[in-house]
Amino acid sequence: MDSSPTSLLLRPPMDTSTILFDPSILQKQSKITKEFIWPQNDRTNSLEVLQAPLIDLQGFFLNHEPSILASAELISSACRSHGFFQVINHGVDPSLSRQALDFLDHFFTLPLPLKLRHRRNPGSMWGYAGAHSDRFSSNLPWKETFSFGFHDTSLSHPVVTDFFTSTLGHEFKQIGLVYQKYCEEMKKLSLTIMELLAISLGVERMHFREFFEDSNSIMRCNYYPPCQEPELALGTGPHCDPTSLTILQQDNVGGLQVFSDEKWKSVPPVPDALVINIGDTFMALSNGKYKSCLHRALVNRQRTRKSLAFFLCPREDRVVRPPPGMVVDGMRKYPDFTWAELKEFTQKHYRADMNTLQIFSQWLLTASSSSFK
Ligand SMILES: C=C1C[C@]23C[C@@]1(O)CC[C@H]2[C@]1(C)CCC[C@@](C)(C(=O)O)[C@H]1[C@@H]3C(=O)O
Ligand SMILES: O=C(O)CCC(=O)C(=O)O
Ligand SMILES: [Fe+2]
């Protein structure tokens, strides 16, 4: 499995040589261009399915202690291994989830020139991106993305609705309301998961819920068009999420895979379930006990695949440090850092892959030692 770190300096902002990811044109070509072809080692596959537990949250909401402890045990086993599990009876209205997935078409089927009007600015995470061709020059993901931030510290200020209306116009207000509500539900669910993670780690039950109460999270809409050579391309390349917790809603197409026991294993779509995975920041909060694992997304010849990834992140200036109970004999696996520092690292200096947290830790220590000179 070779996902060697790419160069530390990323592609300059959009210029004339930037490839335009226009699925309506690209799909008419018999071959994909070299920029979308990934190294052979990143494309190995197996027919295995990841053994990710399906956690029924009904017991948690009913405060049924035996169910809560059983769920915590299943979560502990999965997170010490590959960091992935799925949840059902999570309390998110199925029609809201359905709308959030279906409404992606309203944006991504717009003509490319309209989407490009909303492309993300260099250094910003918000807006449209086509294959990240403005940031990278090779190993381009076969996907379009639309990303925006979510925080609900001031309830009077629906940041997502405002983002949609101010960015896309008032005709997108109703759609913006759906994503505002969806993000609010994702935040609520992520804090429930944080309680279960605390219980599973033997940490004070409210510790992580309080740590993320004033979170500053990211909503990433993924749109993977059909690809004429899916065995050569990747929708999203091998990476670990630098964030804390990911709540992924995938459609029924399939394509999410996790690298576990030296093999790529599929996470099949489960109706009404949401996929949860640990990110690098939570791996650091658990002092390395829970794993942020390598995962990727495949594409296929026939069907567009859609997914919604809600990335829970702490307030940007909050110090990421494991609770005392997670540190034995003073052994720390990672240095203190803030999400602002790790986010900047992934946006300006390093393309998130399998080594992000390790390279980031070295970068941080180098930067801090040089600042003392
Ligand atoms: C902090 C982030 C960077 C990426 C989005 C995210 O919010 C969490 C996941 C990261 C990402 C998806 C990991 C794979 C590579 C990446 C460049 C992508 O394919 O989109 C990453 C995102 C990014 O925009 O840097
Ligand atoms: O689309 C998927 O199934 C996974 C996407 C992903 O891993 C990400 O956006 O971080
Ligand atoms: Fe991911």
Side-chain angles (χ1 to χ4, degrees):
M1 221 325 288
D2 162 48
S3 188
S4 53
T6 49
S7 69
L8 277 177
L9 285 182
L10 302 173
R11 185 185 181 84
M14 204 94 167
D15 55 33
T16 50
S17 66
T18 297
I19 289 178
L20 279 188
F21 186 66
D22 185 347
S24 62
I25 295 175
L26 288 170
Q27 281 158 1
K28 293 190 179 89
Q29 296 163 0
S30 59
K31 297 250 178 235
I32 65 175
T33 58
K34 64 184 184 315
E35 295 82 1
F36 293 96
I37 298 176
W38 284 73
Q40 169 62 38
N41 280 343
D42 285 331
R43 295 187 272 115
T44 58
N45 208 342
S46 80
L47 296 177
E48 290 199 32
V49 171
L50 184 76
Q51 295 309 305
L54 185 61
I55 309 288
D56 184 336
L57 291 181
Q58 192 177 35
F60 177 90
F61 293 125
L62 295 173
N63 208 16
H64 182 247
E65 203 63 20
S67 307
I68 293 173
L69 294 177
S71 296
E73 190 44 50
L74 286 170
I75 288 171
S76 173
S77 166
C79 292
R80 278 179 285 116
S81 164
H82 47 64
F84 276 76
F85 55 96
Q86 299 210 48
V87 292
I88 52 167
N89 295 325
H90 39 64
V92 182
D93 179 348
S95 59
L96 175 65
S97 295
R98 180 82 258 161
Q99 276 187 321
L101 213 50
D102 290 348
F103 283 11
L104 294 180
D105 294 328
H106 290 298
F107 175 77
F108 287 105
T109 58
L110 290 172
L112 184 60
L114 253 178
K115 290 186 282 188
L116 287 172
R117 271 197 220 153
H118 309 300
R119 70 174 177 274
R120 49 183 280 168
N121 294 318
S124 163
M125 298 185 78
W126 310 147
Y128 171 79
H132 291 314
S133 58
D134 57 327
R135 294 170 63 195
F136 313 130
S137 50
S138 65
N139 295 347
L140 296 186
W142 193 269
K143 69 177 174 184
E144 297 176 277
T145 61
F146 189 65
S147 308
F148 45 91
F150 174 75
H151 57 88
D152 55 355
T153 32
S154 56
L155 277 179
S156 60
H157 184 54
V159 288
V160 175
T161 313
D162 291 353
F163 177 78
F164 272 74
T165 49
S166 60
T167 310
L168 301 176
H170 275 274
E171 63 273 27
F172 275 85
K173 177 162 185 175
Q174 290 311 312
I175 293 174
L177 286 166
V178 166
Y179 289 107
Q180 174 71 35
K181 179 69 181 159
Y182 185 77
C183 286
E184 288 167 4
E185 291 299 298
M186 288 299 106
K187 164 83 179 282
K188 273 166 51 181
L189 176 57
S190 58
L191 296 184
T192 295
I193 304 284
M194 280 301 154
E195 261 192 64
L196 272 169
L197 288 170
I199 295 166
S200 73
L201 284 166
V203 167
E204 193 280 317
R205 177 165 175 158
M206 294 302 168
H207 177 81
F208 295 125
R209 174 181 278 272
E210 288 159 6
F211 186 89
F212 288 100
E213 194 60 55
D214 52 358
S215 54
N216 227 330
S217 297
I218 298 163
M219 188 75 233
R220 161 62 64 88
C221 306
N222 293 309
Y223 205 79
Y224 303 99
C227 178
Q228 58 274 41
E229 292 186 287
E231 66 287 348
L232 300 180
L234 286 174
T236 293
H239 69 281
C240 303
D241 293 341
T243 45
S244 294
L245 190 80
T246 305
I247 303 179
L248 184 92
Q249 186 192 173
Q250 56 172 333
D251 63 14
N252 61 5
V253 174
L256 172 62
Q257 294 192 321
V258 179
F259 195 68
S260 169
D261 300 329
E262 300 305 309
K263 278 182 281 222
W264 285 103
K265 300 178 181 177
S266 298
V267 181
V270 173
D272 296 327
L274 292 169
V275 182
I276 312 290
N277 69 269
I278 300 292
D280 291 341
T281 302
F282 195 86
M283 178 159 72
L285 280 172
S286 72
N287 204 22
K289 184 169 184 180
Y290 282 3
K291 307 303 179 194
S292 169
C293 277
L294 209 51
H295 55 286
R296 70 184 185 183
L298 304 182
V299 287
N300 69 80
R301 266 187 190 76
Q302 292 81 24
R303 298 174 68 189
T304 293
R305 178 171 178 264
K306 297 182 280 190
S307 71
L308 285 163
F310 179 85
F311 298 106
L312 180 73
C313 311
R315 203 183 67 201
E316 297 208 355
D317 60 353
R318 196 178 288 276
V319 175
V320 176
R321 181 185 298 144
M326 300 307 304
V327 182
V328 179
D329 300 336
M331 296 297 289
R332 286 283 304 277
K333 195 132 189 250
Y334 307 99
D336 285 358
F337 62 90
T338 64
W339 168 239
E341 291 166 326
L342 180 52
K343 184 173 82 164
E344 183 201 343
F345 184 68
T346 67
Q347 296 308 297
K348 295 181 182 167
H349 308 294
Y350 192 83
R351 180 176 183 175
D353 60 12
M354 62 191 287
N355 304 309
T356 312
L357 197 53
Q358 197 185 340
I359 309 286
F360 169 67
S361 300
Q362 292 158 8
W363 178 77
L364 208 59
L365 294 173
T366 312
S368 59
S369 61
S370 62
S371 63
F372 288 129
K373 278 182 184 147

